[in-house]
Amino acid sequence: MKDLLKYLKNYRVRAILAPLFKLLEASFELLVPLVMAAIIDKGIGGGDKAYIFKMGALMIALGVVGLVCSVTAQYFSARTAMGFGRELRADLFGHITSLSYTEIDKLGASTLITRMTNDVNQLQTGVNMFLRLFLRSPFIVFGACIMAFTVDVKAALIFVIALPVLVIIVFGIMFKSIPLYKKVQGRLDTVLLKSRESLSGARVIRAFNREEAEESGFAEAASELAHQQLFVGRISAFLNPLTYVVINLSIAALVWFGGKQVDLGILKQGGVYALVNYMSQILVELVKLANLIIIEMKTIASANRVAEVFAVKSSMEFAPDEMTNRLDEFRSDNQPFISFKNAGLTYKGSVAPSLRGINLEVKRGETVGIIGGTGSGKTTLVNLIPRFYDCTEGSVEIAGRPVADYGMDELRGSIGIVPQKAVLFSGTIADNLRLADSSASDEELSSALMTAQAADFVSEKPGGINYFIEQKGRNLSGGQRQRLTIARALIGHPQVLILDDSSSALDYATDARLRSAIREASEELTVFIVSQRTASIMHADKILVLDDGEQVGLGTHEELLESCEVYREIHLSQDTGNERREAFA
């Protein structure tokens, strides 16, 4: 928790003023019972109406000033909490985006979303309530005890007995509940994960008629969350009744003892009223304090969860970016542009390697096809080029240097990546394309759309490149989404273009025109095409065949048909109409 307090440094003045104004309000509130006691004893008891009106006016003044102080304190505390949440959320998001794929895979998307939304919101609420009540409530509790001694010392001893009992109740329940609230947040992660999986995989679930199974799994996770929340809630629920019992017993004792003191002439009736009023104030503030403690317990649990994310450091360090781009300067006919040297990768926590023994040399301007069955390691291989993962054995070199020697912007700024799943954001087509280069002109956008074979359908959309795309491109077909993501990659003027099974939704004719247009767009563009269709890669300069993470073939289409059984089986299984497909290429 203390590591997160640095986000309050820009709001120090407000964070100090908020509780000070609350203390000022509390001071006026503590004076009210004494004023009322004076009205009862002197005004009503003495029949002095002028005194009653004068003291009544004083009470109204105390109320107005207290209200102004309260509103001012709440304004400062709210501004502080919102600023704290904004800066914390921004830093947390920046930290998450700085993590490598290895750390993100380990943490999981669902828990990261929960911690950046629900947990940060809980922290905002905790800061707000802390500034408003944490000093005010104890101040009134102890202040009421002190003021009670000014009224009558013997009667005030009841306060001395009641207060420790209340403190034991409040803090005992607090220490019991704190670890349980952390478990509740963990259960919430599980519910979010179930929801996310069910929503993202809704079509697959329906296709296999698994609705009832998913509903059952979600119901079980939600039931566990509800059970945990009820368990903690039952413990926390003891706070109010126990405090009410103690306070009401104390009030009864005050009335009984105060009545005796009045009969003896030691204490006046107004004094009894003041003592009961102070005890009532203690009751109200302890209830507030109890609720505040519950909120702060949740806040501490959320703070620890957020701190756990900040404690995770990226396993991938990048070199400083240089002023000149070494990839652009590289010119050599003898030396390969990209080299895989016995490269392999074992995912963290995995027993078996996902990729091993890959040896591949690619010259500038070459097109490389990568093919293999599902789970053979195709995506894993191309993820090593932009260094989304580090090799656990061997190395990957670009322009004669290991990828670890490049700065992040220098390396990834020269590589255009079109992932397996076409990802588009809500906004116009132009906004999505300029994600790769915010300064790209309309002419550059048009050129990239033509190369990606997307110009025709974009021109037919209302507004053209200003057509609004819904989240994840829901108002576009699969092929349209893929072509726009390819155009977006081309906008960045990459030197290496990675197409990770990014034409699977395209027909063979469009796929062939796309590959031809990319070749014509730049002779120096090095292209990696990951595909499960031999028709998409058969005209590549070289084709790498993977099987269960191992390199089982390397050569041209004709060479592999002769020498690689895996490639030949893939090609023959797709052989229907191959002559017609080759004609398009």
Side-chain angles (χ1 to χ4, degrees):
M1 179 69 182
K2 63 180 180 180
D3 294 333
L4 303 182
L5 295 179
K6 64 181 181 181
Y7 295 101
L8 289 172
K9 66 181 181 181
N10 294 328
Y11 308 95
R12 289 173 184 165
V13 175
R14 293 172 185 168
I16 293 171
L17 288 176
L20 286 180
F21 274 98
K22 273 294 180 182
L23 291 180
L24 192 59
E25 177 211 354
S27 300
F28 292 127
E29 190 171 329
L30 288 173
L31 293 175
V32 170
L34 294 181
V35 176
M36 192 64 198
I39 291 174
I40 293 171
D41 292 336
K42 296 181 181 179
I44 298 175
D48 189 346
K49 291 184 179 180
Y51 186 82
I52 293 173
F53 284 121
K54 182 178 71 173
M55 298 305 288
L58 177 61
M59 286 185 66
I60 292 173
L62 289 173
V64 171
V65 175
L67 177 63
V68 172
C69 292
S70 177
V71 171
T72 306
Q74 292 191 29
Y75 170 78
F76 284 131
S77 61
R79 289 292 299 269
T80 302
M82 293 302 104
F84 168 85
R86 182 183 66 246
E87 293 191 9
L88 174 58
R89 193 178 286 109
D91 270 13
L92 183 60
F93 181 79
H95 179 74
I96 290 171
T97 56
S98 73
L99 298 176
S100 70
Y101 279 21
T102 300
E103 283 73 44
I104 292 176
D105 291 344
K106 180 183 177 182
L107 291 169
S110 60
T111 186
L112 291 176
I113 293 171
T114 304
R115 297 184 195 208
M116 195 161 48
T117 53
N118 181 273
D119 286 317
V120 173
N121 286 339
Q122 185 63 54
L123 280 164
Q124 282 183 190
T125 302
V127 169
N128 191 5
M129 299 303 291
F130 182 88
L131 294 176
R132 287 169 54 187
L133 296 176
F134 191 76
L135 289 181
R136 182 189 188 279
S137 293
F139 179 79
I140 286 188
V141 169
F142 290 105
C145 288
I146 293 170
M147 296 299 287
F149 276 96
T150 65
V151 177
D152 186 76
V153 175
K154 291 183 178 180
L157 293 175
I158 296 173
F159 287 77
V160 176
I161 297 171
L163 194 58
V165 175
L166 291 168
V167 169
I168 291 171
I169 291 171
V170 169
F171 284 93
I173 292 176
M174 180 186 71
F175 287 124
K176 179 68 176 175
S177 302
I178 284 177
L180 295 176
Y181 276 112
K182 189 172 183 180
K183 291 183 180 180
V184 169
Q185 290 299 109
R187 298 291 186 187
L188 185 61
D189 285 347
T190 305
V191 171
L192 180 62
L193 176 62
K194 290 284 185 183
S195 304
R196 189 168 175 270
E197 287 178 342
S198 298
L199 290 172
S200 61
R203 293 184 179 181
V204 178
I205 292 168
R206 289 173 184 169
F208 290 92
N209 195 27
R210 297 288 297 172
E211 291 97 328
E212 290 186 6
E214 289 299 314
E215 288 173 6
S216 175
F218 180 83
E220 184 180 349
S223 177
E224 289 177 359
L225 173 62
H227 175 75
Q228 197 74 41
Q229 285 179 321
L230 287 171
F231 181 67
V232 182
R234 289 190 188 101
I235 295 174
S236 300
F238 277 104
L239 274 174
N240 285 0
L242 288 177
T243 52
Y244 270 101
V245 167
V246 174
I247 289 294
N248 286 320
L249 288 175
S250 301
I251 290 176
L254 279 174
V255 172
W256 176 76
F257 184 78
K260 284 191 171 185
Q261 295 288 82
V262 171
D263 289 341
L264 295 172
I266 300 173
L267 187 64
K268 294 183 179 181
Q269 292 174 341
V272 176
Y273 172 84
L275 290 171
V276 172
N277 211 324
Y278 281 129
M279 187 61 76
S280 298
Q281 284 185 351
I282 290 176
L283 170 63
V284 172
E285 293 306 321
L286 278 174
V287 170
K288 288 181 182 179
L289 186 60
N291 292 328
L292 173 65
I293 289 171
I294 292 172
I295 292 171
E296 295 306 321
M297 285 189 290
K298 293 179 181 179
T299 300
I300 291 170
S302 294
N304 290 335
R305 284 162 51 81
V306 171
E308 285 172 4
V309 178
F310 279 117
V312 176
K313 303 300 180 185
S314 178
S315 58
M316 194 175 289
E317 297 292 334
F318 284 87
D321 287 299
E322 294 192 351
M323 296 300 293
T324 58
N325 194 322
R326 288 175 286 186
L327 299 184
D328 189 50
E329 294 176 347
F330 181 81
R331 293 290 184 276
S332 177
D333 294 329
N334 301 321
Q335 196 175 2
F337 182 46
I338 298 176
S339 301
F340 289 82
K341 297 183 176 180
N342 200 35
L345 173 65
T346 302
Y347 288 108
K348 194 168 185 179
S350 178
V351 177
S354 298
L355 207 64
R356 55 190 176 277
I358 305 299
N359 290 284
L360 174 66
E361 293 185 347
V362 183
K363 293 184 178 179
R364 182 183 285 278
E366 284 189 332
T367 298
V368 180
I370 302 173
I371 196 169
T374 302
S376 60
K378 303 184 295 297
T379 298
T380 300
L381 176 68
V382 294
N383 278 340
L384 296 176
I385 301 172
R387 206 184 168 207
F388 290 151
Y389 294 96
D390 273 331
C391 293
T392 51
E393 60 181 75
S395 63
V396 177
E397 295 182 359
I398 301 180
R401 289 175 174 266
V403 289
D405 286 357
Y406 291 93
M408 182 186 290
D409 293 339
E410 187 180 8
L411 175 65
R412 295 179 182 171
S414 301
I415 300 173
I417 304 168
V418 185
Q420 284 178 309
K421 186 177 181 180
V423 178
L424 295 171
F425 302 94
S426 57
T428 65
I429 291 176
D431 292 337
N432 274 272
L433 296 181
R434 287 195 174 102
L435 191 66
D437 183 1
S438 58
S439 62
S441 64
D442 289 348
E443 291 74 17
E444 289 176 304
L445 300 187
S446 298
S447 176
L449 289 170
M450 291 183 65
T451 302
Q453 308 302 301
D456 291 342
F457 83 80
V458 170
S459 63
E460 294 172 358
K461 297 290 183 183
I465 61 172
N466 294 316
Y467 176 72
F468 189 84
I469 300 175
E470 294 180 8
Q471 189 180 27
K472 294 186 178 180
R474 286 193 299 262
N475 53 341
L476 298 175
S477 68
Q480 290 172 341
R481 290 196 295 268
Q482 286 188 336
R483 281 177 279 174
L484 285 180
T485 54
I486 292 170
R488 181 173 61 194
L490 293 171
I491 288 294
H493 305 292
Q495 298 180 54
V496 180
L497 179 63
I498 298 173
L499 304 176
D500 187 1
D501 204 12
S502 54
S503 59
S504 57
L506 304 181
D507 59 74
Y508 286 96
T510 305
D511 187 16
R513 290 197 299 271
L514 171 65
R515 287 183 278 108
S516 177
I518 290 174
R519 282 199 302 269
E520 293 172 1
S522 175
E523 294 182 357
E524 292 193 342
L525 181 62
T526 305
V527 183
F528 288 81
I529 302 175
V530 175
S531 181
Q532 301 204 40
R533 304 192 306 201
T534 57
S536 298
I537 60 171
M538 60 194 305
H539 294 286
D541 296 300
K542 58 183 67 172
I543 300 170
L544 176 67
V545 186
L546 296 176
D547 183 35
D548 195 23
E550 293 185 344
Q551 177 177 332
V552 295
L554 179 63
T556 63
H557 172 69
E558 291 76 15
E559 291 171 348
L560 290 172
L561 285 177
E562 294 293 330
S563 62
C564 182
E565 183 179 351
V566 174
Y567 184 81
R568 184 165 57 250
E569 287 178 357
I570 295 173
H571 181 69
L572 292 175
S573 68
Q574 304 169 0
D575 197 35
T576 305
N578 258 335
E579 292 182 1
R580 179 173 60 83
R581 297 168 193 160
E582 291 177 19
F584 284 117

